[in-house]
Amino acid sequence: AAAELLLELATLLIAHSEAEEEVVYPKLVRRDVIEGEEEHHGEKEHAATNEALLHLLQAKGTDTQKFDD
């Protein structure tokens, strides 16, 4: 049950990140709502989140050192 929820969470977060990077950020930059630096910062945050999700998905359980890290 927990593994399935984690996989669903990861799927939704990655889809959210991709939509922001492919659709939202470019429109905001074109409309001068955000600058390229803010777009880059959002992309870096998404990459860090994706890396953390990958580590969680690779953990064998919550009682492992990998999970604690």
Short mmCIF file of all heavy atoms in Angstrom, two decimals:
data_model
loop_
_atom_site.label_atom_id
_atom_site.label_comp_id
_atom_site.label_asym_id
_atom_site.label_seq_id
_atom_site.Cartn_x
_atom_site.Cartn_y
_atom_site.Cartn_z
N ALA A 1 0.83 -1.19 0.00
CA ALA A 1 0.00 0.00 0.00
C ALA A 1 0.87 1.25 0.00
O ALA A 1 0.64 2.16 -0.78
CB ALA A 1 -0.94 -0.01 1.19
N ALA A 2 1.87 1.32 0.86
CA ALA A 2 2.72 2.50 0.94
C ALA A 2 3.53 2.68 -0.34
O ALA A 2 3.69 3.81 -0.83
CB ALA A 2 3.65 2.41 2.15
N ALA A 3 4.01 1.59 -0.90
CA ALA A 3 4.80 1.67 -2.13
C ALA A 3 3.95 2.18 -3.29
O ALA A 3 4.42 2.97 -4.11
CB ALA A 3 5.40 0.31 -2.47
N GLU A 4 2.69 1.74 -3.34
CA GLU A 4 1.81 2.20 -4.40
C GLU A 4 1.50 3.69 -4.25
O GLU A 4 1.44 4.43 -5.25
CB GLU A 4 0.51 1.38 -4.41
CG GLU A 4 0.71 -0.03 -4.92
CD GLU A 4 0.02 -1.05 -4.02
OE1 GLU A 4 -0.66 -0.67 -3.05
OE2 GLU A 4 0.18 -2.24 -4.29
N LEU A 5 1.31 4.14 -3.01
CA LEU A 5 1.06 5.56 -2.78
C LEU A 5 2.27 6.40 -3.16
O LEU A 5 2.14 7.47 -3.74
CB LEU A 5 0.69 5.80 -1.32
CG LEU A 5 -0.71 5.35 -0.90
CD1 LEU A 5 -0.89 5.52 0.61
CD2 LEU A 5 -1.76 6.13 -1.65
N LEU A 6 3.44 5.91 -2.82
CA LEU A 6 4.67 6.63 -3.16
C LEU A 6 4.83 6.72 -4.68
O LEU A 6 5.17 7.78 -5.21
CB LEU A 6 5.89 5.95 -2.53
CG LEU A 6 7.23 6.60 -2.82
CD1 LEU A 6 7.26 8.05 -2.35
CD2 LEU A 6 8.35 5.81 -2.16
N LEU A 7 4.55 5.65 -5.37
CA LEU A 7 4.63 5.65 -6.83
C LEU A 7 3.62 6.63 -7.43
O LEU A 7 3.93 7.38 -8.36
CB LEU A 7 4.42 4.24 -7.38
CG LEU A 7 4.57 4.09 -8.89
CD1 LEU A 7 5.95 4.56 -9.35
CD2 LEU A 7 4.33 2.65 -9.29
N GLU A 8 2.42 6.65 -6.89
CA GLU A 8 1.40 7.59 -7.37
C GLU A 8 1.83 9.03 -7.10
O GLU A 8 1.71 9.91 -7.97
CB GLU A 8 0.06 7.31 -6.70
CG GLU A 8 -1.05 8.20 -7.21
CD GLU A 8 -2.41 7.87 -6.61
OE1 GLU A 8 -2.55 6.84 -5.93
OE2 GLU A 8 -3.34 8.66 -6.85
N LEU A 9 2.37 9.30 -5.91
CA LEU A 9 2.86 10.63 -5.58
C LEU A 9 3.98 11.04 -6.54
O LEU A 9 3.97 12.16 -7.06
CB LEU A 9 3.37 10.66 -4.13
CG LEU A 9 4.05 11.96 -3.70
CD1 LEU A 9 3.06 13.12 -3.70
CD2 LEU A 9 4.70 11.79 -2.35
N ALA A 10 4.92 10.15 -6.78
CA ALA A 10 6.03 10.44 -7.67
C ALA A 10 5.52 10.75 -9.08
O ALA A 10 5.96 11.71 -9.71
CB ALA A 10 7.01 9.27 -7.70
N THR A 11 4.57 9.97 -9.56
CA THR A 11 4.01 10.18 -10.89
C THR A 11 3.35 11.54 -11.00
O THR A 11 3.56 12.27 -11.98
CB THR A 11 2.99 9.06 -11.21
OG1 THR A 11 3.65 7.80 -11.14
CG2 THR A 11 2.37 9.24 -12.59
N LEU A 12 2.57 11.91 -9.99
CA LEU A 12 1.88 13.20 -10.01
C LEU A 12 2.86 14.37 -9.90
O LEU A 12 2.72 15.38 -10.60
CB LEU A 12 0.85 13.27 -8.89
CG LEU A 12 -0.35 12.34 -9.05
CD1 LEU A 12 -1.20 12.34 -7.78
CD2 LEU A 12 -1.19 12.75 -10.25
N LEU A 13 3.86 14.26 -9.03
CA LEU A 13 4.82 15.34 -8.88
C LEU A 13 5.66 15.54 -10.13
O LEU A 13 5.93 16.68 -10.53
CB LEU A 13 5.74 15.08 -7.68
CG LEU A 13 5.12 15.37 -6.31
CD1 LEU A 13 6.06 14.92 -5.20
CD2 LEU A 13 4.81 16.84 -6.17
N ILE A 14 6.05 14.46 -10.77
CA ILE A 14 6.84 14.56 -12.00
C ILE A 14 5.99 15.18 -13.12
O ILE A 14 6.46 16.05 -13.85
CB ILE A 14 7.42 13.20 -12.40
CG1 ILE A 14 8.52 12.82 -11.39
CG2 ILE A 14 7.97 13.23 -13.82
CD1 ILE A 14 9.00 11.40 -11.51
N ALA A 15 4.73 14.77 -13.22
CA ALA A 15 3.84 15.35 -14.23
C ALA A 15 3.65 16.85 -13.97
O ALA A 15 3.65 17.66 -14.91
CB ALA A 15 2.49 14.64 -14.22
N HIS A 16 3.51 17.23 -12.72
CA HIS A 16 3.38 18.63 -12.33
C HIS A 16 4.62 19.42 -12.75
O HIS A 16 4.51 20.49 -13.36
CB HIS A 16 3.16 18.73 -10.82
CG HIS A 16 3.26 20.11 -10.29
ND1 HIS A 16 2.18 20.96 -10.22
CD2 HIS A 16 4.32 20.80 -9.79
CE1 HIS A 16 2.57 22.11 -9.71
NE2 HIS A 16 3.86 22.05 -9.43
N SER A 17 5.78 18.89 -12.43
CA SER A 17 7.05 19.55 -12.78
C SER A 17 7.18 19.73 -14.29
O SER A 17 7.56 20.80 -14.78
CB SER A 17 8.24 18.75 -12.26
OG SER A 17 8.22 18.67 -10.86
N GLU A 18 6.89 18.67 -15.02
CA GLU A 18 7.01 18.72 -16.48
C GLU A 18 6.06 19.75 -17.07
O GLU A 18 6.44 20.51 -17.98
CB GLU A 18 6.77 17.35 -17.09
CG GLU A 18 7.89 16.37 -16.83
CD GLU A 18 7.60 14.97 -17.35
OE1 GLU A 18 6.45 14.68 -17.73
OE2 GLU A 18 8.55 14.17 -17.37
N ALA A 19 4.84 19.81 -16.56
CA ALA A 19 3.86 20.77 -17.07
C ALA A 19 4.33 22.20 -16.79
O ALA A 19 4.22 23.08 -17.66
CB ALA A 19 2.49 20.53 -16.44
N GLU A 20 4.84 22.44 -15.60
CA GLU A 20 5.35 23.78 -15.29
C GLU A 20 6.49 24.17 -16.22
O GLU A 20 6.52 25.28 -16.74
CB GLU A 20 5.82 23.86 -13.83
CG GLU A 20 4.73 24.11 -12.85
CD GLU A 20 5.24 24.44 -11.46
OE1 GLU A 20 6.41 24.17 -11.14
OE2 GLU A 20 4.42 24.98 -10.70
N GLU A 21 7.44 23.25 -16.39
CA GLU A 21 8.62 23.57 -17.19
C GLU A 21 8.30 23.70 -18.68
O GLU A 21 8.90 24.53 -19.37
CB GLU A 21 9.70 22.51 -16.98
CG GLU A 21 10.29 22.56 -15.57
CD GLU A 21 11.30 21.47 -15.31
OE1 GLU A 21 11.82 20.87 -16.27
OE2 GLU A 21 11.59 21.21 -14.12
N GLU A 22 7.36 22.92 -19.18
CA GLU A 22 7.06 22.92 -20.62
C GLU A 22 6.01 23.95 -21.02
O GLU A 22 6.03 24.44 -22.14
CB GLU A 22 6.62 21.53 -21.05
CG GLU A 22 7.72 20.49 -20.95
CD GLU A 22 7.24 19.07 -21.23
OE1 GLU A 22 6.09 18.91 -21.72
OE2 GLU A 22 7.99 18.14 -20.94
N VAL A 23 5.09 24.26 -20.10
CA VAL A 23 3.97 25.13 -20.46
C VAL A 23 3.95 26.43 -19.64
O VAL A 23 3.94 27.52 -20.20
CB VAL A 23 2.62 24.38 -20.28
CG1 VAL A 23 1.44 25.28 -20.61
CG2 VAL A 23 2.59 23.12 -21.12
N VAL A 24 3.96 26.30 -18.33
CA VAL A 24 3.74 27.46 -17.47
C VAL A 24 4.92 28.43 -17.50
O VAL A 24 4.73 29.62 -17.76
CB VAL A 24 3.42 27.01 -16.02
CG1 VAL A 24 3.27 28.21 -15.10
CG2 VAL A 24 2.16 26.16 -15.99
N TYR A 25 6.11 27.94 -17.20
CA TYR A 25 7.27 28.84 -17.13
C TYR A 25 7.50 29.60 -18.43
O TYR A 25 7.70 30.82 -18.39
CB TYR A 25 8.53 28.09 -16.74
CG TYR A 25 8.57 27.57 -15.32
CD1 TYR A 25 9.51 26.63 -14.94
CD2 TYR A 25 7.68 28.01 -14.35
CE1 TYR A 25 9.57 26.14 -13.64
CE2 TYR A 25 7.72 27.53 -13.05
CZ TYR A 25 8.67 26.59 -12.70
OH TYR A 25 8.72 26.12 -11.41
N PRO A 26 7.48 28.95 -19.59
CA PRO A 26 7.70 29.71 -20.83
C PRO A 26 6.66 30.82 -21.03
O PRO A 26 7.00 31.92 -21.48
CB PRO A 26 7.60 28.65 -21.92
CG PRO A 26 8.00 27.38 -21.25
CD PRO A 26 7.44 27.50 -19.86
N LYS A 27 5.41 30.55 -20.68
CA LYS A 27 4.38 31.59 -20.82
C LYS A 27 4.63 32.74 -19.86
O LYS A 27 4.45 33.91 -20.22
CB LYS A 27 2.98 31.01 -20.58
CG LYS A 27 2.48 30.18 -21.74
CD LYS A 27 1.07 29.71 -21.50
CE LYS A 27 0.60 28.91 -22.71
NZ LYS A 27 -0.78 28.44 -22.56
N LEU A 28 5.03 32.43 -18.65
CA LEU A 28 5.31 33.48 -17.67
C LEU A 28 6.50 34.33 -18.08
O LEU A 28 6.49 35.55 -17.89
CB LEU A 28 5.53 32.88 -16.27
CG LEU A 28 4.31 32.22 -15.62
CD1 LEU A 28 4.69 31.58 -14.30
CD2 LEU A 28 3.19 33.24 -15.42
N VAL A 29 7.51 33.70 -18.67
CA VAL A 29 8.67 34.44 -19.15
C VAL A 29 8.26 35.35 -20.30
O VAL A 29 8.64 36.53 -20.34
CB VAL A 29 9.83 33.49 -19.56
CG1 VAL A 29 10.92 34.23 -20.30
CG2 VAL A 29 10.40 32.79 -18.33
N ARG A 30 7.50 34.82 -21.25
CA ARG A 30 7.06 35.62 -22.40
C ARG A 30 6.22 36.82 -21.98
O ARG A 30 6.28 37.88 -22.59
CB ARG A 30 6.26 34.76 -23.38
CG ARG A 30 7.12 33.92 -24.31
CD ARG A 30 6.31 33.37 -25.48
NE ARG A 30 5.13 32.63 -25.09
CZ ARG A 30 5.09 31.32 -24.79
NH1 ARG A 30 6.20 30.61 -24.83
NH2 ARG A 30 3.97 30.73 -24.47
N ARG A 31 5.46 36.67 -20.92
CA ARG A 31 4.59 37.75 -20.45
C ARG A 31 5.29 38.64 -19.42
O ARG A 31 4.66 39.49 -18.81
CB ARG A 31 3.31 37.17 -19.85
CG ARG A 31 2.46 36.49 -20.89
CD ARG A 31 1.21 35.91 -20.32
NE ARG A 31 0.45 35.25 -21.37
CZ ARG A 31 -0.70 34.66 -21.17
NH1 ARG A 31 -1.23 34.62 -19.96
NH2 ARG A 31 -1.32 34.08 -22.17
N ASP A 32 6.58 38.41 -19.23
CA ASP A 32 7.39 39.18 -18.27
C ASP A 32 6.87 39.12 -16.84
O ASP A 32 7.03 40.06 -16.07
CB ASP A 32 7.52 40.65 -18.71
CG ASP A 32 8.36 40.80 -19.96
OD1 ASP A 32 9.32 40.02 -20.12
OD2 ASP A 32 8.07 41.70 -20.78
N VAL A 33 6.25 38.00 -16.49
CA VAL A 33 5.79 37.79 -15.12
C VAL A 33 6.95 37.29 -14.26
O VAL A 33 7.07 37.66 -13.10
CB VAL A 33 4.60 36.81 -15.07
CG1 VAL A 33 4.18 36.50 -13.65
CG2 VAL A 33 3.43 37.37 -15.88
N ILE A 34 7.79 36.44 -14.85
CA ILE A 34 9.01 35.98 -14.19
C ILE A 34 10.17 36.16 -15.15
O ILE A 34 9.97 36.33 -16.35
CB ILE A 34 8.92 34.49 -13.74
CG1 ILE A 34 8.82 33.54 -14.94
CG2 ILE A 34 7.79 34.29 -12.75
CD1 ILE A 34 8.96 32.07 -14.58
N GLU A 35 11.36 36.15 -14.59
CA GLU A 35 12.57 36.25 -15.41
C GLU A 35 13.16 34.86 -15.58
O GLU A 35 12.79 33.92 -14.88
CB GLU A 35 13.58 37.18 -14.73
CG GLU A 35 13.07 38.61 -14.62
CD GLU A 35 14.06 39.52 -13.94
OE1 GLU A 35 15.13 39.06 -13.51
OE2 GLU A 35 13.75 40.72 -13.84
N GLY A 36 14.10 34.75 -16.50
CA GLY A 36 14.74 33.47 -16.76
C GLY A 36 15.39 32.88 -15.53
O GLY A 36 15.43 31.66 -15.37
N GLU A 37 15.90 33.74 -14.64
CA GLU A 37 16.53 33.26 -13.41
C GLU A 37 15.52 32.52 -12.53
O GLU A 37 15.82 31.49 -11.94
CB GLU A 37 17.14 34.43 -12.65
CG GLU A 37 17.90 34.02 -11.41
CD GLU A 37 18.50 35.23 -10.71
OE1 GLU A 37 19.11 36.08 -11.39
OE2 GLU A 37 18.37 35.29 -9.49
N GLU A 38 14.31 33.05 -12.45
CA GLU A 38 13.27 32.40 -11.66
C GLU A 38 12.85 31.07 -12.30
O GLU A 38 12.58 30.09 -11.59
CB GLU A 38 12.06 33.31 -11.52
CG GLU A 38 12.32 34.54 -10.68
CD GLU A 38 11.19 35.53 -10.74
OE1 GLU A 38 10.93 36.06 -11.84
OE2 GLU A 38 10.57 35.76 -9.69
N GLU A 39 12.80 31.05 -13.61
CA GLU A 39 12.49 29.80 -14.33
C GLU A 39 13.56 28.76 -14.03
O GLU A 39 13.25 27.60 -13.72
CB GLU A 39 12.42 30.08 -15.83
CG GLU A 39 12.13 28.87 -16.66
CD GLU A 39 12.13 29.17 -18.15
OE1 GLU A 39 12.62 30.23 -18.57
OE2 GLU A 39 11.64 28.31 -18.91
N HIS A 40 14.81 29.16 -14.09
CA HIS A 40 15.93 28.25 -13.82
C HIS A 40 15.87 27.74 -12.38
O HIS A 40 16.10 26.55 -12.12
CB HIS A 40 17.26 28.94 -14.10
CG HIS A 40 18.45 28.08 -13.87
ND1 HIS A 40 18.73 26.98 -14.66
CD2 HIS A 40 19.44 28.15 -12.94
CE1 HIS A 40 19.83 26.40 -14.21
NE2 HIS A 40 20.28 27.09 -13.18
N HIS A 41 15.53 28.62 -11.45
CA HIS A 41 15.43 28.22 -10.04
C HIS A 41 14.34 27.15 -9.87
O HIS A 41 14.53 26.16 -9.17
CB HIS A 41 15.12 29.43 -9.16
CG HIS A 41 14.92 29.10 -7.72
ND1 HIS A 41 15.97 28.77 -6.90
CD2 HIS A 41 13.80 29.03 -6.97
CE1 HIS A 41 15.50 28.51 -5.68
NE2 HIS A 41 14.19 28.65 -5.71
N GLY A 42 13.20 27.34 -10.53
CA GLY A 42 12.13 26.35 -10.46
C GLY A 42 12.55 25.01 -11.03
O GLY A 42 12.24 23.95 -10.48
N GLU A 43 13.30 25.04 -12.13
CA GLU A 43 13.79 23.81 -12.73
C GLU A 43 14.77 23.09 -11.80
O GLU A 43 14.76 21.86 -11.70
CB GLU A 43 14.43 24.10 -14.08
CG GLU A 43 13.43 24.54 -15.13
CD GLU A 43 14.06 25.08 -16.40
OE1 GLU A 43 15.29 25.27 -16.43
OE2 GLU A 43 13.31 25.31 -17.36
N LYS A 44 15.62 23.86 -11.12
CA LYS A 44 16.54 23.25 -10.16
C LYS A 44 15.79 22.61 -8.99
O LYS A 44 16.14 21.52 -8.54
CB LYS A 44 17.53 24.30 -9.63
CG LYS A 44 18.63 24.65 -10.62
CD LYS A 44 19.54 25.77 -10.16
CE LYS A 44 20.09 25.57 -8.77
NZ LYS A 44 21.02 26.63 -8.36
N GLU A 45 14.74 23.27 -8.52
CA GLU A 45 13.92 22.70 -7.45
C GLU A 45 13.26 21.40 -7.90
O GLU A 45 13.19 20.43 -7.15
CB GLU A 45 12.86 23.69 -6.99
CG GLU A 45 13.41 24.82 -6.15
CD GLU A 45 12.32 25.74 -5.64
OE1 GLU A 45 11.20 25.73 -6.20
OE2 GLU A 45 12.60 26.47 -4.68
N HIS A 46 12.77 21.39 -9.13
CA HIS A 46 12.15 20.18 -9.66
C HIS A 46 13.17 19.04 -9.74
O HIS A 46 12.86 17.89 -9.40
CB HIS A 46 11.54 20.43 -11.04
CG HIS A 46 10.34 21.31 -11.01
ND1 HIS A 46 9.93 22.01 -12.11
CD2 HIS A 46 9.47 21.62 -10.01
CE1 HIS A 46 8.84 22.70 -11.80
NE2 HIS A 46 8.56 22.48 -10.52
N ALA A 47 14.37 19.35 -10.19
CA ALA A 47 15.42 18.32 -10.29
C ALA A 47 15.75 17.76 -8.91
O ALA A 47 15.90 16.54 -8.76
CB ALA A 47 16.66 18.90 -10.95
N ALA A 48 15.83 18.61 -7.91
CA ALA A 48 16.12 18.15 -6.54
C ALA A 48 14.98 17.27 -6.02
O ALA A 48 15.22 16.24 -5.39
CB ALA A 48 16.36 19.33 -5.62
N THR A 49 13.76 17.67 -6.31
CA THR A 49 12.60 16.87 -5.89
C THR A 49 12.61 15.52 -6.58
O THR A 49 12.37 14.49 -5.94
CB THR A 49 11.29 17.62 -6.21
OG1 THR A 49 11.28 18.86 -5.50
CG2 THR A 49 10.08 16.80 -5.82
N ASN A 50 12.89 15.51 -7.88
CA ASN A 50 12.93 14.24 -8.61
C ASN A 50 14.02 13.32 -8.08
O ASN A 50 13.81 12.10 -7.99
CB ASN A 50 13.13 14.51 -10.11
CG ASN A 50 11.93 15.15 -10.75
OD1 ASN A 50 10.84 15.17 -10.17
ND2 ASN A 50 12.12 15.70 -11.92
N GLU A 51 15.16 13.88 -7.72
CA GLU A 51 16.24 13.07 -7.15
C GLU A 51 15.82 12.47 -5.81
O GLU A 51 16.06 11.29 -5.54
CB GLU A 51 17.50 13.91 -6.99
CG GLU A 51 18.69 13.09 -6.56
CD GLU A 51 19.98 13.88 -6.53
OE1 GLU A 51 20.12 14.86 -7.28
OE2 GLU A 51 20.85 13.51 -5.74
N ALA A 52 15.17 13.27 -4.97
CA ALA A 52 14.69 12.76 -3.68
C ALA A 52 13.66 11.66 -3.89
O ALA A 52 13.67 10.65 -3.18
CB ALA A 52 14.12 13.91 -2.85
N LEU A 53 12.76 11.86 -4.84
CA LEU A 53 11.76 10.83 -5.14
C LEU A 53 12.41 9.54 -5.61
O LEU A 53 12.00 8.45 -5.21
CB LEU A 53 10.78 11.32 -6.21
CG LEU A 53 9.73 12.31 -5.76
CD1 LEU A 53 9.00 12.89 -6.97
CD2 LEU A 53 8.74 11.65 -4.82
N LEU A 54 13.44 9.67 -6.44
CA LEU A 54 14.14 8.49 -6.92
C LEU A 54 14.75 7.71 -5.76
O LEU A 54 14.63 6.49 -5.69
CB LEU A 54 15.22 8.88 -7.93
CG LEU A 54 16.04 7.74 -8.51
CD1 LEU A 54 15.16 6.75 -9.25
CD2 LEU A 54 17.12 8.29 -9.43
N HIS A 55 15.36 8.42 -4.82
CA HIS A 55 15.95 7.75 -3.65
C HIS A 55 14.88 7.05 -2.83
O HIS A 55 15.10 5.93 -2.35
CB HIS A 55 16.72 8.75 -2.79
CG HIS A 55 18.00 9.19 -3.39
ND1 HIS A 55 19.12 8.39 -3.47
CD2 HIS A 55 18.35 10.37 -3.96
CE1 HIS A 55 20.10 9.04 -4.06
NE2 HIS A 55 19.66 10.24 -4.37
N LEU A 56 13.74 7.69 -2.66
CA LEU A 56 12.64 7.05 -1.92
C LEU A 56 12.14 5.81 -2.64
O LEU A 56 11.87 4.78 -2.02
CB LEU A 56 11.49 8.03 -1.73
CG LEU A 56 11.64 9.05 -0.63
CD1 LEU A 56 10.48 10.05 -0.67
CD2 LEU A 56 11.71 8.39 0.74
N LEU A 57 12.00 5.91 -3.95
CA LEU A 57 11.51 4.76 -4.72
C LEU A 57 12.49 3.60 -4.70
O LEU A 57 12.10 2.44 -4.78
CB LEU A 57 11.22 5.18 -6.17
CG LEU A 57 10.02 6.10 -6.35
CD1 LEU A 57 10.01 6.68 -7.76
CD2 LEU A 57 8.73 5.35 -6.06
N GLN A 58 13.79 3.90 -4.56
CA GLN A 58 14.81 2.86 -4.52
C GLN A 58 14.98 2.26 -3.12
O GLN A 58 15.59 1.20 -2.99
CB GLN A 58 16.15 3.41 -5.01
CG GLN A 58 16.14 3.72 -6.49
CD GLN A 58 17.41 4.40 -6.94
OE1 GLN A 58 18.12 5.02 -6.16
NE2 GLN A 58 17.71 4.31 -8.23
N ALA A 59 14.45 2.91 -2.10
CA ALA A 59 14.55 2.39 -0.73
C ALA A 59 13.73 1.11 -0.63
O ALA A 59 12.65 1.00 -1.21
CB ALA A 59 14.06 3.43 0.27
N LYS A 60 14.23 0.17 0.11
CA LYS A 60 13.55 -1.12 0.25
C LYS A 60 12.49 -1.10 1.34
O LYS A 60 11.74 -2.03 1.51
CB LYS A 60 14.56 -2.23 0.55
CG LYS A 60 15.58 -2.40 -0.54
CD LYS A 60 14.97 -2.85 -1.83
CE LYS A 60 16.02 -3.09 -2.88
NZ LYS A 60 15.55 -2.92 -4.22
N GLY A 61 12.45 -0.05 2.13
CA GLY A 61 11.47 0.07 3.20
C GLY A 61 11.80 1.28 4.06
O GLY A 61 12.85 1.90 3.90
N THR A 62 10.92 1.60 4.96
CA THR A 62 11.14 2.77 5.80
C THR A 62 12.10 2.51 6.95
O THR A 62 12.50 3.44 7.63
CB THR A 62 9.80 3.27 6.38
OG1 THR A 62 9.20 2.21 7.14
CG2 THR A 62 8.87 3.73 5.28
N ASP A 63 12.48 1.27 7.16
CA ASP A 63 13.38 0.94 8.27
C ASP A 63 14.81 0.74 7.80
O ASP A 63 15.61 0.07 8.43
CB ASP A 63 12.88 -0.32 8.99
CG ASP A 63 12.80 -1.54 8.08
OD1 ASP A 63 12.80 -1.36 6.84
OD2 ASP A 63 12.72 -2.65 8.60
N THR A 64 15.16 1.37 6.67
CA THR A 64 16.51 1.23 6.13
C THR A 64 17.26 2.56 6.25
O THR A 64 16.67 3.62 6.37
CB THR A 64 16.46 0.85 4.64
OG1 THR A 64 15.85 1.91 3.91
CG2 THR A 64 15.70 -0.45 4.41
N GLN A 65 18.58 2.49 6.20
CA GLN A 65 19.39 3.69 6.25
C GLN A 65 19.13 4.56 5.02
O GLN A 65 19.11 5.78 5.11
CB GLN A 65 20.88 3.34 6.34
CG GLN A 65 21.79 4.53 6.48
CD GLN A 65 21.53 5.34 7.74
OE1 GLN A 65 21.35 4.77 8.82
NE2 GLN A 65 21.50 6.66 7.63
N LYS A 66 18.92 3.94 3.88
CA LYS A 66 18.67 4.69 2.65
C LYS A 66 17.43 5.56 2.81
O LYS A 66 17.41 6.70 2.37
CB LYS A 66 18.51 3.74 1.47
CG LYS A 66 18.40 4.43 0.13
CD LYS A 66 18.42 3.43 -0.99
CE LYS A 66 18.57 4.10 -2.30
NZ LYS A 66 19.92 4.24 -2.76
N PHE A 67 16.40 5.04 3.47
CA PHE A 67 15.21 5.83 3.71
C PHE A 67 15.51 7.01 4.63
O PHE A 67 15.05 8.11 4.40
CB PHE A 67 14.08 4.97 4.29
CG PHE A 67 12.78 5.69 4.46
CD1 PHE A 67 11.91 5.82 3.40
CD2 PHE A 67 12.44 6.29 5.66
CE1 PHE A 67 10.72 6.50 3.52
CE2 PHE A 67 11.25 6.97 5.80
CZ PHE A 67 10.39 7.08 4.74
N ASP A 68 16.31 6.76 5.66
CA ASP A 68 16.65 7.82 6.61
C ASP A 68 17.46 8.94 5.95
O ASP A 68 17.35 10.10 6.33
CB ASP A 68 17.43 7.27 7.80
CG ASP A 68 16.56 6.41 8.69
OD1 ASP A 68 15.31 6.55 8.65
OD2 ASP A 68 17.13 5.60 9.45
N ASP A 69 18.30 8.56 4.96
CA ASP A 69 19.12 9.57 4.29
C ASP A 69 18.25 10.45 3.44
O ASP A 69 18.46 11.57 3.21
CB ASP A 69 20.18 8.91 3.42
CG ASP A 69 21.23 8.19 4.27
OD1 ASP A 69 21.33 8.47 5.46
OD2 ASP A 69 21.93 7.33 3.70
#
